[in-house]
Structures are given as structure tokens and as C-alpha cells.
């Protein structure tokens, strides 16, 4: 039969495959050529956060684009200049329809997220403004506890000032979101608040706000340029913030010394010098990226024989996400052993903020030496080429932060002048708020005096009405003035003096209204 002849053929084919598998030589896969190597089931390797406020949107766009075979091939062969120039963005017109549909959806979600962020900040401002309005009306109506009403109103004014100051100075790793709020109208709709989402979206440079529904090549070009610019400025901003941090430390130390007498000041200065000396007394720090530094990681962190150090194996061991590159976070992890020689969180003299700045400096140095195409990634080829340089075997000594002058006296003086100006501005604002408080208190006292005077006049009129024999008030306690000629039978007409008193009361009210 036919099946009897097919079965032996299948057995022969199966045996041939087994023999080939047993005799085949294992192939070492070059992970720099293969993107997305398979991992164990359920294993998900998370890439570190870039620190950008649109980090999630950036990652989602990249993930979707890499699902398109054509675009993925172009991405792998493109150099950094082609990506920065926008040439790669034009390839978006050639991707499949379902990829474009998914990108459109991502952009709409991002625009919706930005609009929600804008609205949330607008709502926060409006709530505080409404509190000012309600407090302003309540201060006139409230008579049981006048001081409490004034105090609440002033507290709300101060809260609004502080909130607006924080809002206008709030910056993210990207364009600053400015929100201009106006007092809400009677209906409280968008027209009253002057909210213009389209105008506010212009401040976000990572997408094309003119077309919020579809993802176009311009969107990809803007996203690439924004991310490149923000990442390039990210390290610079961190250095500037660290420098301000160090100058503030020194400024506060000197200001504290001014408050001490000569003996205590001398004692504090001696303690400061002793701590500096203790901090500087640490083992030698290897040059970042040198053979000695990497061999120390190989031996102490990886637990391998230093005599068997192999740069290619080292690279693959520390390519944590197996993408064929050493990114900035993977590089920074290599310097932990060196940093532990200098910084210990248990020691009073060691500042952990300085440790992170030292880590950043080490990573920047290695990137400048190894990253040839300046794409902020180190390939295996770049890494191996760096190990062939003379600097890898015979590096210069590495100077730690404690061996460098972080700022000059002129820079510190300029920083202190800036602080003084800010303090003057805040002091002026505080004085203005105090004047507002005094003015509100004056108005409140004036209203209270007018109220007491009015109550006294009404009391006097009631007393005169009683003397004339007329009822001073109705069932609910209100005054009842009957028009002339409408008296009931038996009623005694008003004495002319009563009309004069009423005219006096009307004249008094008119005078105070003016």
C-alpha cells in the first residue's frame, strides 16, 4: 500500500535530521546584527526611562515602527546623521496600513493626554480663583466672626500667589507648559476661561499640533529632533543643577558660620576641614573604561578569573537587555565598584548627590571616548576598537570631584546676589500682601462701624414710635410704614414728627450710599 512506502521515507528523513543536529557546530550569534533576541517565556526586559516627559509616547512609536519589516531594515542600516536630518522620516510613507493606523491612534492618545494635563492645571487655577471670589463676598455677609473671614481671604490670596508662582516656574525635561488663567464668568464654560487647546499645544515640540488626528512624516521628524535635543541638553542641565547645589551648600555653610562666635566658628571650620580630608582618603579610583577598571568588574562583580578577561565576553555579559548595545544606563552600572571606593551612605562626609554626579561624569567620559557615531549607544565593534587603544592599557589618572574646583569665588558671589534678589522679590510680595491685609481689615472695620451706626438709628426710631403709641414692627419683626391715606378705621394718623423722622432716616441712608 501507499502508506507502507511513505513511512520508511519519513523515518529516513527523521534520522538524517537528527544526525545533522548532532554533528552541527554551535554558531555564536552576533547580537549586534540581530535585534530582539528571544528570551525565556514570560520574561520581559524593560528599557530604562529616558527622563523625557513624553518617554512613553516615544517608546510606543518606536515599538510600532519596528513591527514593519521595511522600516526596521532602514532603521538598522541608517546612520545617526540620516536619522537627525529627517531622511528616515520620509520612509514612513512606505510602511503598511495597519502600522499607520496604530500610529494615528497613538498620536490621538498623546494629544488627549496633553489636553488633560492642560485642563487639570487650568482647573486648579480656577478653583483657587473661585475661592478668592467666594471669600470676598463672604467677608461682607459674615458678621458673627469678621476676623475669621478676613483671615481666610488673606490665606486664599497667599495660596493663589504661591500656586501661580510654582506653576509659572514649573519645568519638565522639555518645553515649559504655560497656562494663562482668567477669572471664570457666570456660566463657567470654556469661553469664559479663554482656554485655547490649539494655542497651548504649540508649546509641545514632539508632535505636529496642527494635525491632531493622523501621524505624518512631520510627526516622526519632530519627535526625533525633540528627543535628540532634549537628551543632549539633559546632561548639561544636570551639571548646572549640581553646581547650584554645591554653591548653595557653601552659601549656607558660610551663613551659618556668621551666626557663631569666634570659638565655635573655629571649631566648625576645623571639623569641616577634617571631614574633607577624611572623604579624600580613599583607595585609587581606576580610569573609567580602562582595562584595569573593567577587569575589576570582571573579577569582583562577575566572579571570573581576571587572567581570562575577554572584552567580547565582557560586552555580552553586561548587555543586560541583549539588544547588541551598551546604553547609558548599562555603562553607568559598570562604575558602581569605583564609586563605592569613594562614597559610603553611612559616612557623614560622603554626599550621595556628589556620587551620582561622579557617575554621570564617568559615563560621559567613556561615551566621548568609545561612541564613534555619537548615537549614545556603544556597539560591540566600537567597544572592541576602544580596547585596542593605548589609553585602554595605559590610561591617565582619574580626578574625582573632591580633587577639582567646582566653582570660583566670582561664581559663588554671583549666585549669592541672585539669591538676594529673589529674597527681595519675595519680601516685596510679602509686604504687598500685608498691605492688602491691612486694607481689607480697614474696609471690614468701616463696614462694621456703618452697621453699628445703622442699628443705632433703627433703635432710636423704634423708641420714638413706641412713644407715639404706634406698633414698631410687624409679626416678623419688620418695620411697617403705612402709606398716607390708607389707615384703618380707628387708627390714629401719623404725627407730622413721624414723617420728619422717616425723612431723616431716608436722608441718612442716601448719604451713606453716596
Amino acid at each position: 500500500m501507499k502508506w507502507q512506502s511513505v513511512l520508511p521515507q519519513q523515518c529516513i528523513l527523521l534520522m538524517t535530521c537528527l544526525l545533522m543536529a548532532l554533528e552541527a557546530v554551535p554558531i555564536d550569534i552576533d547580537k549586534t546584527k540581530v535585534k530582539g533576541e528571544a528570551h525565556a517565556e514570560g520574561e520581559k526586559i524593560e528599557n530604562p526611562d529616558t527622563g523625557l516627559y513624553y518617554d512613553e509616547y516615544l517608546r510606543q512609536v518606536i515599538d510600532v515602527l519596528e513591527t514593519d519589516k521595511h522600516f526596521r531594515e532602514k532603521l538598522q542600516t541608517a546612520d545617526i546623521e540620516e536619522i537627525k536630518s529627517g531622511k528616515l522620516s520620509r520612509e514612513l510613507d512606505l510602511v503598511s496600513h495597519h502600522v499607520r493606523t496604530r500610529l494615528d491612534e497613538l498620536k490621538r492618545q498623546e494629544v488627549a493626554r496633553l489636553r488633560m494635563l492642560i485642563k487639570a492645571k487650568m482647573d486648579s487655577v480656577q478653583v483657587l480663583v473661585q475661592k478668592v471670589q467666594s471669600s470676598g463676598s463672604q467677608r461682607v455677609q459674615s458678621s458673627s466672626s469678621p476676623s475669621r473671614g478676613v483671615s481666610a481671604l488673606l490665606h486664599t490670596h497667599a495660596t493663589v500667589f504661591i500656586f501661580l508662582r510654582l506653576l509659572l516656574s514649573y519645568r519638565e525635561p522639555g518645553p515649559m507648559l504655560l497656562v494663562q488663567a482668567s477669572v471664570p464668568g457666570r456660566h463657567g464654560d470654556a469661553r469664559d476661561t479663554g482656554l485655547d487647546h490649539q494655542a497651548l499645544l504649540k508649546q509641545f515640540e514632539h508632535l505636529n499640533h496642527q494635525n491632531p488626528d493622523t501621524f505624518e512624516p512631520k510627526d516622526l521628524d519632530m519627535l526625533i529632533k525633540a528627543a535628540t535635543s532634549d537628551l543632549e541638553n539633559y546632561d548639561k542641565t544636570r551639571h548646572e543643577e549640581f553646581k547650584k547645589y554645591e554653591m548653595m551648600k557653601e552659601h549656607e555653610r558660610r551663613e551659618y558660620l556668621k551666626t557663631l562666635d569666634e570659638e565655635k566658628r573655629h571649631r566648625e571650620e576645623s571639623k569641616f576641614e577634617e571631614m574633607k580630608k577624611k572623604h579624600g582618603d580613599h583607595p585609587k579610583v581606576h580610569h573609567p573604561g580602562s582595562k584595569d577598571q573593567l577587569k575589576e568588574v570582571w573579577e569582583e562583580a562577575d566572579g571570573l578569573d581576571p587572567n581570562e578577561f575577554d572584552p567580547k565576553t565582557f560586552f555580552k555579559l553586561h548587555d543586560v537587555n541583549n539588544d547588541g548595545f551598551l546604553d547609558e544606563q548599562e555603562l553607568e552600572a559598570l562604575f558602581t565598584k569605583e564609586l563605592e571606593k569613594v562614597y559610603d551612605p553611612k559616612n557623614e562626609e560622603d554626599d550621595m548627590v556628589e556620587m551620582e554626579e561622579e557617575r554621570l561624569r564617568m559615563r560621559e567620559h567613556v561615551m566621548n571616548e568609545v561612541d564613534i557615531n555619537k548615537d549614545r549607544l556603544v556597539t560591540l565593534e566600537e567597544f572592541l576598537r576602544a580596547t585596542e587603544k593605548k589609553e585602554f592599557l595605559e590610561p591617565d589618572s582619574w580626578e574625582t570631584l573632591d580633587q577639582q574646583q567646582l566653582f570660583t569665588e566670582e561664581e559663588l558671589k554671583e549666585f549669592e546676589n541672585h539669591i538676594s534678589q529673589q529674597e527681595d522679590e519675595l519680601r516685596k510680595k510679602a509686604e504687598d500682601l500685608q498691605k492688602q491685609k491691612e486694607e481689607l481689615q480697614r474696609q471690614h472695620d468701616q463696614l462694621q462701624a456703618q452697621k453699628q451706626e445703622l442699628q443705632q438709628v433703627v433703635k432710636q426710631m423704634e423708641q420714638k414710635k413706641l412713644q407715639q403709641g404706634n406698633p414698631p414692627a410687624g409679626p416678623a419683626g419688620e418695620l411697617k410704614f403705612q402709606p398716607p391715606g390708607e389707615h384703618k378705621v380707628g387708627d390714629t394718623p401719623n404725627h407730622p414728627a413721624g414723617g420728619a423722622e422717616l425723612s431723616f432716616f431716608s436722608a441718612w441712608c442716601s448719604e451713606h450710599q453716596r
Side-chain angles (χ1 to χ4, degrees):
M1 295 184 181
K2 185 177 180 181
W3 63 271
Q4 291 178 333
S5 61
V6 173
L7 185 59
Q9 294 177 2
Q10 292 179 343
C11 292
I12 294 173
L13 181 61
L14 179 60
M15 292 296 294
T16 304
C17 292
L18 288 173
L19 289 173
M20 291 176 63
L22 290 173
E23 295 177 0
V25 178
I27 299 176
D28 185 13
I29 300 176
D30 188 352
K31 291 189 290 185
T32 63
K33 304 293 184 181
V34 181
K35 295 283 286 185
E37 186 180 28
H39 301 288
E41 184 178 356
E43 182 183 1
K44 184 179 180 180
I45 297 179
E46 296 288 346
N47 291 321
D49 197 314
T50 60
L52 303 176
Y53 70 95
Y54 50 89
D55 176 79
E56 184 176 359
Y57 174 65
L58 174 64
R59 293 177 184 280
Q60 290 175 340
V61 169
I62 294 174
D63 291 342
V64 171
L65 287 173
E66 286 188 339
T67 61
D68 186 85
K69 182 180 179 181
H70 169 77
F71 194 89
R72 185 171 63 250
E73 291 175 352
K74 289 291 183 180
L75 183 62
Q76 291 177 347
T77 57
D79 56 32
I80 190 65
E81 292 303 325
E82 290 178 339
I83 296 176
K84 288 183 178 180
S85 65
K87 183 178 179 180
L88 184 66
S89 302
R90 294 192 287 270
E91 300 293 332
L92 187 66
D93 293 328
L94 304 178
V95 301
S96 60
H97 174 71
H98 76 278
V99 171
R100 291 296 294 269
T101 302
R102 177 59 180 147
L103 291 174
D104 294 344
E105 181 181 352
L106 289 176
K107 183 178 179 180
R108 288 192 292 268
Q109 292 175 358
E110 177 69 1
V111 171
R113 184 183 73 88
L114 297 177
R115 284 175 174 170
M116 288 178 62
L117 177 63
I118 293 171
K119 186 178 184 301
K121 294 195 174 186
M122 287 292 297
D123 290 345
S124 300
V125 175
Q126 290 177 25
V127 168
L128 292 175
V129 172
Q130 289 172 358
K131 285 183 179 180
V132 173
Q133 290 179 325
S134 62
S135 300
S137 61
Q138 289 174 3
R139 81 178 190 274
V140 179
Q141 299 173 0
S142 175
S143 60
S144 61
S145 180
S147 61
R148 185 182 304 174
V150 173
S151 176
L153 177 60
L154 292 170
H155 174 72
T156 309
H157 274 303
T159 306
V160 171
F161 167 71
I162 294 172
F163 178 83
L164 291 176
R165 184 177 181 87
L166 290 174
L167 181 64
L168 294 176
S169 64
Y170 176 68
R171 291 180 180 271
E172 291 178 289
M176 180 172 65
L177 173 64
L178 296 179
V179 180
Q180 295 180 349
S182 60
V183 178
R186 291 178 299 175
H187 304 290
D189 56 12
R191 292 172 296 176
D192 295 322
T193 62
L195 184 60
D196 187 355
H197 284 108
Q198 198 69 9
L200 292 171
L201 285 172
K202 290 180 181 179
Q203 300 169 92
F204 299 101
E205 300 177 353
H206 65 286
L207 50 74
N208 180 18
H209 63 89
Q210 295 179 347
N211 183 11
D213 298 319
T214 57
F215 191 96
E216 303 295 337
K218 184 177 180 180
D219 288 287
L220 181 58
D221 185 42
M222 292 180 67
L223 182 60
I224 292 173
K225 290 181 178 179
T228 302
S229 175
D230 291 342
L231 288 173
E232 287 176 350
N233 295 327
Y234 188 66
D235 290 345
K236 181 180 178 181
T237 303
R238 285 182 60 182
H239 287 310
E240 292 175 352
E241 292 300 323
F242 173 75
K243 187 173 182 178
K244 292 179 181 178
Y245 168 79
E246 289 293 322
M247 288 192 291
M248 179 59 77
K249 277 175 52 178
E250 179 62 18
H251 168 71
E252 291 177 348
R253 187 184 73 85
R254 295 185 181 186
E255 291 297 313
Y256 172 69
L257 291 176
K258 293 178 182 179
T259 64
L260 305 178
D261 56 37
E262 184 175 356
E263 181 181 353
K264 290 183 178 179
R265 182 162 55 255
H266 179 71
R267 191 183 309 132
E268 285 294 327
E269 289 178 345
S270 299
K271 180 181 177 182
F272 177 73
E273 293 297 329
E274 182 181 349
M275 290 177 62
K276 281 180 61 177
K277 183 178 179 181
K278 187 177 179 181
H279 173 71
D281 185 16
H282 54 72
K284 178 184 177 182
V285 176
H286 294 302
H287 195 95
S290 66
K291 184 176 181 179
D292 291 337
Q293 191 258 316
L294 298 184
K295 281 182 68 175
E296 190 173 53
V297 176
W298 173 277
E299 179 181 6
E300 297 186 12
D302 301 332
L304 301 175
D305 187 350
N307 297 323
E308 298 178 358
F309 175 76
D310 178 59
K312 185 175 181 180
T313 305
F314 182 91
F315 181 94
K316 293 186 177 183
L317 280 173
H318 294 276
D319 178 16
V320 180
N321 57 2
N322 294 325
D323 62 351
F325 303 96
L326 292 180
D327 57 35
E328 294 178 342
Q329 286 73 24
E330 289 169 338
L331 278 177
E332 289 182 357
L334 300 179
F335 311 133
T336 301
K337 287 293 179 182
E338 298 302 316
L339 294 170
E340 288 176 350
K341 298 177 181 178
V342 186
Y343 300 95
D344 186 346
K346 299 178 182 179
N347 295 338
E348 182 183 3
E349 68 273 8
D350 297 338
D351 189 338
M352 294 301 104
V353 176
E354 294 179 356
M355 183 186 75
E356 293 306 318
E357 173 69 10
E358 191 78 70
R359 190 192 302 272
L360 174 60
R361 291 177 61 246
M362 290 179 172
R363 187 255 294 165
E364 283 184 319
H365 173 76
V366 173
M367 276 293 187
N368 290 333
E369 295 291 326
V370 181
D371 184 19
I372 299 175
N373 60 359
K374 305 303 177 184
D375 62 351
R376 305 176 74 90
L377 295 170
V378 177
T379 64
L380 177 62
E381 180 182 358
E382 290 173 332
F383 184 77
L384 295 179
R385 186 177 299 179
T387 61
E388 297 172 357
K389 296 180 180 180
K390 179 182 179 181
E391 293 81 3
F392 180 72
L393 300 175
E394 301 175 5
D396 297 330
S397 59
W398 177 258
E399 290 186 354
T400 54
L401 285 174
D402 56 282
Q403 298 172 319
Q404 299 182 9
Q405 184 180 11
L406 301 178
F407 52 85
T408 63
E409 283 295 324
E410 290 76 13
E411 290 174 330
L412 179 60
K413 185 176 181 180
E414 182 180 355
F415 177 75
E416 290 177 331
N417 290 336
H418 180 67
I419 293 178
S420 178
Q421 291 176 1
Q422 288 183 328
E423 291 176 348
D424 291 340
E425 291 176 2
L426 291 176
R427 192 179 299 109
K428 184 178 179 181
K429 293 291 183 183
E431 292 174 356
D432 292 341
L433 288 174
Q434 181 64 25
K435 291 179 181 179
Q436 293 178 21
K437 176 183 177 181
E438 295 172 355
E439 176 63 21
L440 289 172
Q441 187 65 48
R442 187 190 65 79
Q443 294 177 7
H444 174 76
D445 295 341
Q446 185 178 2
L447 288 173
Q448 285 294 101
Q450 293 176 1
K451 179 181 176 181
Q452 292 176 0
E453 187 177 353
L454 178 60
Q455 289 174 344
Q456 186 68 23
V457 171
V458 172
K459 185 177 180 180
Q460 292 175 359
M461 292 184 64
E462 289 178 352
Q463 291 175 352
K464 290 187 177 183
K465 287 292 182 182
L466 287 172
Q467 293 173 0
Q468 295 173 5
N470 292 332
E478 73 276 6
L479 291 175
K480 299 182 70 175
F481 299 100
Q482 295 179 348
E486 295 186 3
H487 301 291
K488 296 181 180 179
V489 178
D491 286 350
T492 303
N494 289 333
H495 194 274
E501 292 163 358
L502 180 60
S503 300
F504 165 75
F505 173 69
S506 301
W508 183 90
C509 293
S510 301
E511 179 66 22
H512 281 278
Q513 285 178 355
R514 287 197 297 268

